[in-house]
Amino acid sequence: MRVLARWGPVLAALMLTAPAAAQQPQAPTPYVNELPGAGRPVDIPATAARRQRLMDRLGDAVILVPAAAGRDVNEHAQDSDFRQDNTFFYLTMLETPVSWLLMNARANGADDAVLLLPDRNPQAERWTGVKLGPGEDAVRITGFATVLSTRALDSVLTVALDRNVPVYVPFESWSRGDRVIARLRADSARVALRNLRPAVDSMRIIKDAQEIAVLRRATRITAEAHADLMRQARPGMWEYQLEAILEAGFRGRGADRVGYPSIVGTGFNTTTLHYAANRAQSRPGELVVVDAAAEYAQYTADVTRTFPVGGSFTPRQRAIYDLVLGAQQAALDSVRPGVTLGELNRIARAYLREHSGDLCAPLTCDGYMIHGLSHHIGMNVHDVGPGGMPLAPGMVFTIEPGVYIPAESLGVRIEDDVLVTETGYELLSGAAPRRAEDVERLMQGRQARAAGTR
């Protein structure tokens, strides 16, 4: 009630100036376009806890977070998929574009948060689907006690600025050209504008229970789709056909989109780290490196598997594969709180060096690993989190050793997603086979079933 009383004059003004569209009755249709995927509701306790933690960290401050701008299918016909701003999503779990979150943090006294949503437009909704706007439904769905129209932003912000405390805004929004942010930047004599991202990013490094649950789902979707691809791959298929099988597996299991452009490389393309053309044809005897993952509820996995397109490794391919897998397992066995990603990188490289024998002569095989071992994942495939920070329970990251020998058109990479626990780790992506014998068994089982049907 104190929050409503504080914004009472703003609410009264809005009632007097509300456009006709805002007076339309709320539609009974679920607001599936506004939530993190169809049928997945906002986790109100989780988002409320994140906002409170942030306000507790900043003390006396005003926090202003814009949502991402909408996408116009006429202007972005090839890239019309809307994706929410990460900071706004982290604090609200809403996918509504052109919205705002304003929080008043107080070192002494009650904090408050206001969500501002665009007014509903029933005529536009006939084209775009039902949207979530200010009203009782928004209060119920989002957990915010106060949900106003974005028309109230100037008024609400004026009241907040009268507190004469620092104003935190995500740095990347400073250059978006929004008039509200431009106004704050221009009023430097009155507004002490600061970057919000360091505070929020530091919170995102350790995932809470809701984030871990979503990442488990994203990685399982991804790993099962990789296994699907192994069952269906055969010599002669084009890389884009392999890509299509994989991404159909993502979407068929409920993924919202891919987490990053899928990498599907055969032959020489296995030695190119970020190969993304996916237009070559596979040939008998070649390996396939598939680095691709699903995004679910705005969190992405990151998984890579290498397999023989014909179902059986050659002795040379198997030797390199087992070496890479051994390096990955050595790093996995060392995961525990307190270890750093840099230390894991050194452990994997040492394994490659000490166990390579003459496989990569005249060099040792660590000389053919041309990238780092690990990075954090979350809302971005390369998520926030410095590599030198000691691991702590709740961190989620990749372990991805690889050996790439262009002269032989031979590349092997194995990448898995790992959750740090109190005593060690949980392998999130284990549903996709890792051991060479398991890969061959899965692929040859498919071939045997196919032969039995002829």
Side-chain angles (χ1 to χ4, degrees):
M1 292 300 294
R2 286 188 299 173
V3 171
L4 291 175
R6 182 177 297 120
W7 302 112
V10 173
L11 288 166
L14 285 173
M15 292 298 292
L16 292 174
T17 61
Q23 301 296 333
Q24 296 291 330
Q26 294 287 336
T29 308
Y31 296 96
V32 295
N33 294 337
E34 309 308 322
L35 304 178
R40 297 197 291 273
V42 172
D43 190 325
I44 292 175
T47 52
R50 292 170 194 167
R51 294 192 296 270
Q52 191 59 58
R53 284 175 56 206
L54 178 61
M55 289 188 284
D56 290 343
R57 286 189 178 204
L58 296 181
D60 284 319
V62 171
I63 304 164
L64 184 64
V65 185
R71 304 288 284 173
D72 187 333
V73 69
N74 294 313
E75 295 182 8
H76 305 94
Q78 302 300 322
D79 183 24
S80 60
D81 184 29
F82 171 79
R83 189 179 188 277
Q84 186 58 278
D85 172 84
N86 283 340
T87 302
F88 186 89
F89 188 87
Y90 181 72
L91 297 169
T92 67
M93 280 184 64
L94 287 175
E95 292 189 299
T96 316
V98 292
S99 304
W100 293 82
L101 169 62
L102 187 144
M103 294 181 282
N104 281 294
R106 295 176 173 84
N108 297 296
D111 301 323
D112 67 67
V114 180
L115 178 66
L116 299 105
L117 300 175
D119 292 311
R120 289 186 55 216
N121 184 335
Q123 286 187 323
E125 288 176 3
R126 296 190 67 180
W127 294 81
T128 61
V130 176
K131 301 294 182 182
L132 182 64
E136 293 181 2
D137 280 351
V139 171
R140 173 179 54 82
I141 288 170
T142 68
F144 282 84
T146 306
V147 183
L148 303 178
S149 165
T150 50
R151 292 178 294 109
L153 180 58
D154 285 339
S155 299
V156 171
L157 188 56
T158 297
V159 173
L161 293 178
D162 285 340
R163 296 179 55 208
N164 294 315
V165 296
V167 179
Y168 286 83
V169 178
F171 178 78
E172 65 274 13
S173 67
W174 293 20
S175 60
R176 287 181 186 171
D178 184 89
R179 62 172 184 81
V180 175
I181 305 299
R183 166 189 164 191
L184 294 175
R185 295 185 66 188
D187 195 5
S188 58
R190 182 186 178 202
V191 179
L193 201 60
R194 297 179 182 173
N195 183 12
L196 178 65
R197 282 290 302 277
V200 176
D201 289 358
S202 66
M203 292 169 56
R204 285 176 49 199
I205 295 172
I206 295 179
K207 274 55 179 179
D208 60 30
Q210 186 273 336
E211 293 178 285
I212 291 171
V214 168
L215 279 165
R216 282 198 180 105
R217 180 68 180 272
T219 52
R220 182 151 193 96
I221 288 171
T222 299
E224 290 178 352
H226 274 267
D228 283 350
L229 178 58
M230 292 179 190
R231 292 186 186 97
Q232 298 180 53
R234 64 184 185 273
M237 295 184 74
W238 296 81
E239 291 167 347
Y240 55 77
Q241 292 177 309
L242 301 172
E243 177 185 19
I245 293 169
L246 186 75
E247 294 185 4
F250 296 162
R251 297 306 296 266
R253 291 176 170 84
D256 300 318
R257 57 181 68 86
V258 294
Y260 50 92
S262 298
I263 298 168
V264 181
T266 62
F268 179 81
N269 298 329
T270 63
T271 67
T272 304
L273 264 63
H274 289 169
Y275 171 78
N278 300 350
R279 294 176 182 171
Q281 187 176 26
S282 66
R283 296 180 296 182
E286 289 185 335
L287 293 179
V288 183
V289 170
V290 180
D291 186 341
E295 180 179 296
Y296 178 83
Q298 198 135 335
Y299 285 76
T300 183
D302 187 5
V303 174
T304 305
R305 288 295 183 265
T306 302
F307 58 87
V309 70
S312 298
F313 291 96
T314 68
R316 170 72 169 160
Q317 292 168 348
R318 175 67 183 265
I320 295 293
Y321 187 95
D322 285 346
L323 178 67
V324 172
L325 182 64
Q328 187 194 45
Q329 192 61 53
L332 281 169
D333 291 341
S334 302
V335 174
R336 62 183 60 86
V339 175
T340 67
L341 297 185
E343 290 171 336
L344 296 180
N345 182 60
R346 288 190 288 274
I347 289 168
R349 289 182 179 278
Y351 185 97
L352 291 176
R353 183 171 58 254
E354 294 164 8
H355 294 79
S356 61
D358 60 358
L359 283 175
C360 299
L363 302 176
T364 53
C365 290
D366 56 306
Y368 289 93
M369 179 173 161
I370 57 177
H371 56 78
L373 181 74
S374 302
H375 57 81
H376 294 267
I377 61 171
M379 282 193 279
N380 289 332
V381 66
H382 286 255
D383 208 39
V384 294
M389 175 181 291
L391 296 179
M395 290 184 179
V396 184
F397 64 97
T398 67
I399 294 183
E400 50 175 315
V403 168
Y404 313 90
I405 309 175
E408 299 181 43
S409 296
L410 175 56
V412 173
R413 179 164 68 255
I414 307 170
E415 179 179 23
D416 281 280
D417 300 336
V418 178
L419 166 67
V420 183
T421 66
E422 295 288 344
T423 57
Y425 71 93
E426 176 185 339
L427 185 66
L428 299 178
S429 47
R434 295 169 57 235
R435 297 189 308 166
E437 55 266 36
D438 294 333
V439 171
E440 290 183 331
R441 185 179 302 113
L442 180 66
M443 299 188 72
Q444 292 168 10
R446 174 264 301 166
Q447 294 170 345
R449 288 191 297 273
T453 61
R454 291 197 291 267

